[in-house]
Amino acid sequence: MYKLKNAVLFLAVYIVIFFITMFINENLAAVMLAGIVIGVPIYLGYLLLETVKYFMNKKNTNVVSSQQTQLQTRRRNKNKQVPKRNSDSSVQTDHVSQKVQTHESRQVTTPIGKNSVKPVNDETTLPKETPKQVGVETNVQHIKMARRTDKPTVHHLRRKLKDFVVIDIKTTGLQRDAKIIQLSSVKYKKDELVDTFNRYINPGIPVPADVSAITGITDQLLQDAPTFDEVISDFVDFVGDLPWIGHNINGFDIPKLINNGLPLTEVSTIDTLRLARKKLTNLSHHSLEILKHYYGIKNKSHNALEDCKTNAIVYQRLRDDILEQVEADYSDIVQTLAGLNFAISGSFAGYSRADVKEMIMSHGGKIKSTVTKDTNYLVDGTQTSDKLTDGIHSGKELKAQKYGTKMIGITELKEMVNG
């Protein structure tokens, strides 16, 4: 086929040249000579080109064939190393056993820091039965348990509850692997407070300074506190089969409880953050702190137990569609701070900035947004911001030094309030 193609091409070229030459010169010998002189070089050039292409294609074909042969050889060798199903049960069993051991080794380690793990007793005894409960389902023993990372089934309740528990936690931070340092709950039966649960927890890592400044929970306070594993069973006994209520409970509290080791599999919840956003559309923000002051609730802040008590009242108001703001009435409070101007800087353990402002205003004092010449006191807390003016002091502190404004702490302010 290859030779025939070349011959046909040569013949076609020769015929074309023949007719062209006859048109120019009627001498047949000259025509024949011209055809040979012109046609043969063209033919030889084409033949050389085809020969080169032929050998190049043959080389590429050999390379591909070699690669395919090597691949097939590897596959055959690999298949020889993997035992067939039912052909060698002992090898198959060892392979499965290795998988199980690897899986268990991942389950029985509990992080105690960012880059380290602490082994947990792997002689975990699972409960004989898993109780099916209306509010919460857990696998709990009064012993240390392997960490559970599965997401639980969460039932978002819409009915109005009179029997429930309110849950709140405090942690070492907002990151995913943050440790719980306080776990609290309050129990309501027939819409009445009947019991409370409060445990400080040793996280196994230092508590960040900014967290201590806000919550008042320090390393010294947690030094002799139990671990999370040691309080799990008490917590589960306390909540029982009641549904859970919390502020952003589905987005924060439940994930943190699971990450810290609570083997929660099923729970029924009502999230007061979602409820407040739906019902209090007049507010631009719906934090528990804002709702506390909106409803005029007199509880401390940044403490898990106090926040549980606050959240219980918030839920009752939202549940019963009591949506009007409670106006502050300071008429029966002694105005011990009348005529005095205050500015506030920093964080206060157990008190939010709004709490400090209310404490001052309820006793007749006025709040300044910054320190000026006529500011009498700067209520100065712990500086936790990473954007301090000189890396140490806030702008208000520096202005207070400039104007000679007296700086006091929260304890001194409470003494002034009480007269």
Side-chain angles (χ1 to χ4, degrees), residues 25-91:
N25 191 344
E26 296 180 355
N27 190 334
L28 183 60
V31 172
M32 295 293 292
L33 180 61
I36 294 172
V37 172
I38 297 174
V40 170
I42 295 175
Y43 171 75
L44 292 177
Y46 176 78
L47 182 62
L48 179 62
L49 179 63
E50 288 295 317
T51 303
V52 172
K53 289 171 63 177
Y54 171 77
F55 283 107
M56 288 183 66
N57 291 335
K58 184 176 181 181
K59 182 179 179 180
N60 293 335
T61 302
N62 291 337
V63 171
V64 173
S65 177
S66 176
Q67 292 176 345
Q68 291 177 345
T69 302
Q70 293 177 3
L71 180 59
Q72 292 175 355
T73 303
R74 288 177 187 156
R75 289 177 177 173
R76 284 196 298 267
N77 293 337
K78 184 176 180 180
N79 292 335
K80 289 180 181 179
Q81 295 175 359
V82 179
K84 295 181 179 179
R85 188 186 302 269
N86 300 328
S87 64
D88 190 349
S89 59
S90 62
V91 176

Side-chain angles (χ1 to χ4, degrees), residues 24 79 170 203 207 215 217 245 250 258 261 274 314 358 390:
I24 298 173
N79 292 335
K170 299 303 171 191
V207 179
T215 63
I217 302 175
I245 291 175
N250 297 323
I258 293 173
R274 181 182 298 181
V314 168
E358 184 177 7
D390 61 355

Side-chain angles (χ1 to χ4, degrees), residues 282-283 293-296 322-328:
N282 57 315
L283 297 178
H293 289 279
Y294 183 83
Y295 282 123
I322 302 175
L323 308 180
E324 296 79 14
Q325 182 176 1
V326 177
E327 297 295 337

Side-chain angles (χ1 to χ4, degrees), residues 300-332:
K300 293 180 66 175
S301 297
H302 305 312
N303 178 276
L305 182 59
E306 293 296 319
D307 284 347
C308 283
K309 295 177 180 178
T310 297
N311 204 16
I313 299 173
V314 168
Y315 169 67
Q316 290 172 324
R317 301 286 176 85
L318 294 173
R319 178 198 64 193
D320 298 338
D321 292 323
I322 302 175
L323 308 180
E324 296 79 14
Q325 182 176 1
V326 177
E327 297 295 337
D329 183 9
Y330 305 137
S331 59
D332 59 343

